[in-house]
Amino acid sequence: MPSGLGQLALPNLHGTPQDAADLRRFLIWVPDPRGHRGRRYPMLPLLCAAAAAVLAGARSLIAIGEWTTDAPPSVLADLGFPPDALTGIRAVPHPATIRRLLQRLDGDALDAAIGAYLRARTTPPQPSEPPSKPALRAIAVDGKTVRGSRTRTTTAIQLLAAMDHHGVVLAQRQIASKSNEIPAFQPLLDTIDLTDTLLTGDALHTQHAHGAYLRKRGAHFLAIVKKNHSGLYAQVRKLPWADIPLDHSTRDRAHHRDEIRRLKVAAFRHLDYPGARQAIQIVRWRRELSTGKLTIERVYLITSLTVFDATCTELATWIRGHWGIEVRHEALCFRTGVRDPRRLAVAAAG
């Protein structure tokens, strides 16, 4: 199944065929890959039918075709299928017609259209009182490899997605086969309004060019620092953390383990990273309840937020939110198959 349609497969997204019909004003920008001769069905009704099937629970190309075949005439009318000029009957497309269309679509264009639809559908909560400062929308950038997309002759498909911390996919791109996530970062975010947003990502995206780009777009960042940036990592790690007071602490018991998280924040304007204003240390203590094994992990981050922009509790919430999004994105890629035409049989068998 195309990964663009997979964005509609989120468990917290519920819709109706009419919602799929509302996609028309976004899907109209997806180019039709078919030739002008031999077109029996317009492209928009076919795409709307595929979207309605996914919203109804279809998770494979076979299931999409079965749902379309069983759709009643009233639903076909909502989706835009035209009636026959003589009989008035709305013909149902063969499942192979939808499969061949999805196989040839521009995946990035479909991702952009459905991402725009989801952003328009998402309404930010209205606060009961006017906030003293603009509320930041947390967006996680995360890349994953699509399950079942590797063949004998091609490498596995990699996707880079931007998701808000509620799980809504805002944008998604396929990474070039001989490239990595870094060159796709800015083109991915060029399609999103980054006003009053906070971008979170893993250590791969802690790049000087990314930091400068986000600050130029008016967005803040919360970036993990690891040894792949040895100079920045050494600078952050050698801060006098032992003398910095504890700012936030939580203790949880789940998944057969007891976990304590301790967070410290240091305001430091001389970090070797564009726009960085604070450094963060998180110490995680994990004890396995079954074996009693104790592990201690230290994680370092930097952020463009100042002490006046966010509290330590907010920082801790955003950090945990990003780790949760990584797990959710992994599950989404695991469930929704691929968009590569050469792996269509794998997706259809799913």
Side-chain angles (χ1 to χ4, degrees), residues 147-199:
R147 172 203 180 200
S149 60
R150 182 179 179 181
T151 69
R152 294 179 180 178
T153 58
T154 61
T155 59
I157 292 176
Q158 292 182 306
L159 299 176
L160 184 66
M163 305 174 68
D164 70 14
H165 281 204
H166 299 291
V168 177
V169 180
L170 305 177
Q172 185 171 258
R173 290 181 66 89
Q174 181 173 337
I175 301 171
S177 59
K178 295 184 179 181
S179 183
N180 55 49
E181 297 177 19
I182 297 175
F185 182 86
Q186 295 186 21
L188 174 76
L189 298 179
D190 283 339
T191 61
I192 304 175
D193 181 9
L194 297 183
T195 305
D196 295 330
T197 60
L198 172 73
L199 271 293

Side-chain angles (χ1 to χ4, degrees), residues 57-107:
R59 296 296 181 266
S60 69
L61 295 175
I62 293 177
I64 290 175
E66 291 176 346
W67 185 93
T68 307
T69 301
D70 296 336
S74 59
V75 172
L76 295 178
D78 288 339
L79 296 176
F81 285 97
D84 185 88
L86 297 177
T87 64
I89 299 175
R90 301 180 192 274
V92 179
H94 192 276
T97 301
I98 299 179
R99 184 182 71 246
R100 287 194 295 265
L101 175 63
L102 297 179
Q103 176 181 355
R104 298 173 60 187
L105 276 180
D106 183 342

